[in-house]
Amino acid sequence: SRDHLEMEAQRLLQQAKALRDEAAEAQSNMAREKTQKQRQHDLAIDELIETYFFSTDRYSMSCTYDECLLNRLRDRRLGLPTLFHVVDRIYQRETLANEALERNDDTLLSQLNFHPSIDYSDDANRLDGCIEALIELHEELDLEQQHQHQHQQGEFHDAAFVQHYGGNVSQQLERRLQKLQQATVKGEQQLITSVAVNEDEKEQSEQQESATPAFDLAKFLPW
């Protein structure tokens, strides 16, 4: 009957609305979860930056800045994926800090997730040169690993080792920085705040992580 058809049509409309509402809620929950994970990730990376670049430790009392950083990197080697995250985060913070100074607009810094125990007010000066120092010191670490491998293995002919340690870390960090700078020139700000690791970088990163004792970022992350 007509009444039955109308009731069925109404039921289907209500069902469709319920499904749409359910999908919208699921999407909203996913967005909140993604935002929370990004925040937790950013704060964990900021803790690493403080630990490696600005710690007051047994090295800081007797070494130059570069010597202290080099010793910390030797003590706890960071894997390539973590180094990429460190470079990305330093670049993000430094870029936004410089832009805020140029525009005299501190509201730009609202794009950042802030760690409660870290002072971000002087990022423009504080982080200046950190990425370059990280790249330069990894050139030295690459050579150290290369010489160590030569001493242990004799002739230097291991192709996998060449890929992992033959200047590869410093070169990949340099390429990472160049990508960030290119993204800034193009105005692709979203690439600065969240730069995904390319598939080829991802594969090399996994090999690098498995080939050397790397600092475990998971210890800093709650998920």
Side-chain angles (χ1 to χ4, degrees):
S1 67
R2 182 173 180 178
D3 289 344
H4 176 73
L5 290 175
E6 288 180 352
M7 290 177 61
E8 182 64 14
Q10 187 66 25
R11 185 186 70 80
L12 291 173
L13 286 172
Q14 291 175 351
Q15 186 178 23
K17 181 179 183 303
L19 289 172
R20 287 197 302 271
D21 291 344
E22 183 179 341
E25 183 178 0
Q27 186 173 8
S28 177
N29 289 337
M30 287 178 61
R32 281 196 298 271
E33 182 179 353
K34 182 178 179 181
T35 299
Q36 181 62 19
K37 282 189 174 183
Q38 183 65 52
R39 171 179 169 74
Q40 292 169 339
H41 176 272
D42 287 347
L43 300 192
I45 295 299
D46 284 350
E47 286 188 27
L48 280 183
I49 292 169
E50 291 298 308
T51 298
Y52 279 82
F53 289 89
F54 305 112
S55 285
T56 301
D57 56 15
R58 61 194 176 97
Y59 295 123
S60 60
M61 307 305 293
S62 58
C63 299
T64 66
Y65 177 83
D66 283 356
E67 289 171 343
C68 289
L69 178 56
L70 182 61
N71 285 327
R72 292 172 193 139
L73 290 168
R74 283 196 186 109
D75 284 350
R76 293 190 298 182
R77 288 292 302 273
L78 292 172
L80 192 55
T82 304
L83 286 168
F84 280 161
H85 291 312
V86 168
V87 170
D88 293 349
R89 182 63 173 168
I90 292 174
Y91 189 85
Q92 178 197 24
R93 285 171 54 182
E94 187 179 4
T95 299
L96 289 174
N98 284 322
E99 191 171 352
L101 283 175
E102 290 174 6
R103 298 187 183 185
N104 196 24
D105 183 6
D106 288 342
T107 61
L108 291 171
L109 300 179
S110 63
Q111 299 178 49
L112 290 173
N113 290 312
F114 291 101
H115 194 290
S117 64
I118 296 176
D119 182 9
Y120 296 78
S121 62
D122 194 32
D123 270 2
N125 293 317
R126 195 163 178 254
L127 299 177
D128 183 35
C130 285
I131 297 177
E132 291 76 9
L134 193 65
I135 293 171
E136 183 177 342
L137 293 177
H138 269 89
E139 291 179 3
E140 185 169 343
L141 289 172
D142 288 338
L143 288 174
E144 288 179 3
Q145 289 286 346
Q146 185 180 118
H147 292 156
Q148 181 181 355
H149 182 80
Q150 287 176 314
H151 176 73
Q152 292 175 348
Q153 301 295 329
E155 294 185 15
F156 182 56
H157 56 72
D158 189 335
F161 176 83
V162 174
Q163 180 182 8
H164 296 154
Y165 298 119
N168 196 43
V169 174
S170 60
Q171 289 173 9
Q172 290 198 65
L173 293 180
E174 179 68 35
R175 286 197 295 268
R176 189 71 166 194
L177 177 59
Q178 290 172 356
K179 288 181 180 180
L180 290 166
Q181 292 169 335
Q182 290 166 2
T184 305
V185 171
K186 294 177 182 177
E188 298 170 353
Q189 294 296 325
Q190 71 276 14
L191 294 181
I192 297 174
T193 57
S194 179
V195 181
V197 179
N198 294 338
E199 287 304 314
D200 58 332
E201 291 175 336
K202 199 172 187 181
E203 180 180 355
Q204 292 173 355
S205 299
E206 291 169 352
Q207 293 171 340
Q208 166 74 11
E209 291 274 29
S210 63
T212 184
F215 185 70
D216 185 7
L217 179 60
K219 293 179 181 177
F220 283 80
L221 301 179
W223 67 87

